[in-house]
Amino acid sequence: AAGDIPDNQVFVPVTPSGAPFSVSVPQGWVQSGDGAATVFTDKFNSVRIETRPLSAAPDVATVRAQDAAQLLGSPGFVLGDVTGVQRAAGAGVLMTYTATSPVNAVTGKSVTEAVERYVFWRGGQEAVLTLSGPQGSDNVDPWRRITDSFRWQR
């Protein structure tokens, strides 16, 4: 289906400049900056990574109250679940939702995206890893591979 990340996709580890983490992303995806975030994109798929200071570890209630609230005005935002998760880097919070993608510069189209937003915390730093792709895409395995590759460096 359109938006599926191929099963034979090669992943490469990256550590954005000054970031306290590393994560593996699909090889060949375009890397760009968006403020404090590093973004990797290919068509309508993206991996967005950002860190910020945060004094206490977020939990399901704070992610639902704060992160979801910040996204309420986003085009097409529909909140799914907010749950605790365990990944290789430790405990985190997963918020799922759908949203309308930005318009593709080449095609002039936008799509409804399925989004998984993982929030990790360690020692006063929050890391937010947001994975998105066209709704209906089968990206379960690649997204799991990306989120399990996340590692704190310091």
Side-chain angles (χ1 to χ4, degrees):
D4 284 2
I5 299 170
D7 291 339
N8 62 351
Q9 175 68 55
V10 174
F11 290 79
V12 295
V14 297
T15 302
S17 179
F21 64 84
S22 65
V23 66
S24 292
V25 298
Q27 184 177 32
W29 284 24
V30 175
Q31 180 179 344
S32 62
D34 182 13
T38 300
V39 182
F40 297 87
T41 57
D42 181 60
K43 301 176 187 73
F44 286 108
N45 288 301
S46 71
V47 176
R48 178 185 176 92
I49 312 152
E50 56 192 307
T51 59
R52 56 184 161 246
L54 187 66
S55 60
D59 59 19
V60 169
T62 59
V63 169
R64 183 183 308 277
Q66 296 170 7
D67 293 33
Q70 289 176 347
L71 294 168
L72 281 177
S74 301
F77 175 78
V78 177
L79 181 62
D81 291 328
V82 181
T83 58
V85 294
Q86 188 67 37
R87 290 294 188 263
V93 178
L94 167 61
M95 179 173 66
T96 61
Y97 59 95
T98 57
T100 303
S101 73
V103 174
N104 182 290
V106 175
T107 66
K109 297 180 181 180
S110 63
V111 299
T112 299
E113 295 181 313
V115 184
E116 292 186 1
R117 180 180 175 121
Y118 292 82
V119 181
F120 298 102
W121 184 89
R122 189 179 83 171
Q125 282 287 315
E126 177 184 55
V128 179
L129 178 59
T130 305
L131 311 168
S132 61
Q135 189 173 30
S137 298
D138 181 13
N139 289 330
V140 172
D141 293 333
W143 285 3
R144 180 67 184 235
R145 184 170 180 176
I146 293 166
T147 58
D148 272 340
S149 76
F150 178 86
R151 299 282 190 278
W152 292 104
Q153 297 294 310
R154 305 178 205 150

